[in-house]
Amino acid sequence: MTLMQEQAMDLIKKMPDEKIYYLINLLSDLVETTPIYKNEPTNAQKAYKNLQKFRHRGTVERDYKAELYSALEEKYGSID
């Protein structure tokens, strides 16, 4: 038994039963069989990865600045 385990046992022996009940609940939460940080992807990550399969480069080249300028002219051109 390590030194820390011995110190923990000594502390537990000094505790009243009411507090040991809470300690057992706390320790059972800490000693999980599953790790806290899972390497498995979440549902959102799986969905994003699935969507990435359908992503491809567009075949039409667009001049976004010209499209923005024409849209602004169309909407705000009559303000002058």
Side-chain angles (χ1 to χ4, degrees):
M1 191 178 296
T2 65
L3 181 62
M4 266 205 245
Q5 290 173 337
E6 288 179 15
Q7 289 175 347
M9 290 297 294
D10 290 339
L11 288 173
I12 291 171
K13 287 177 184 176
K14 293 176 185 176
M15 292 175 74
D17 286 343
E18 302 87 43
K19 290 187 178 182
I20 291 177
Y21 172 77
Y22 295 110
L23 180 65
I24 289 172
N25 287 333
L26 177 69
L27 290 175
S28 64
D29 289 341
L30 290 176
V31 183
E32 293 181 348
T33 56
T34 59
I36 295 174
Y37 301 105
K38 297 179 181 177
N39 291 334
E40 298 175 11
T42 63
N43 286 339
Q45 291 171 334
K46 289 177 186 176
Y48 180 75
K49 189 174 182 179
N50 187 30
L51 284 175
Q52 292 301 315
K53 291 189 288 188
F54 301 106
R55 187 176 182 183
H56 59 85
R57 229 118 153 95
T59 57
V60 178
E61 289 294 323
R62 293 188 172 205
D63 185 8
Y64 293 105
K65 288 184 181 180
E67 288 186 31
L68 175 63
Y69 181 74
S70 67
L72 290 174
E73 275 295 316
E74 182 181 317
K75 186 169 186 174
Y76 300 112
S78 62
I79 291 178
D80 294 338

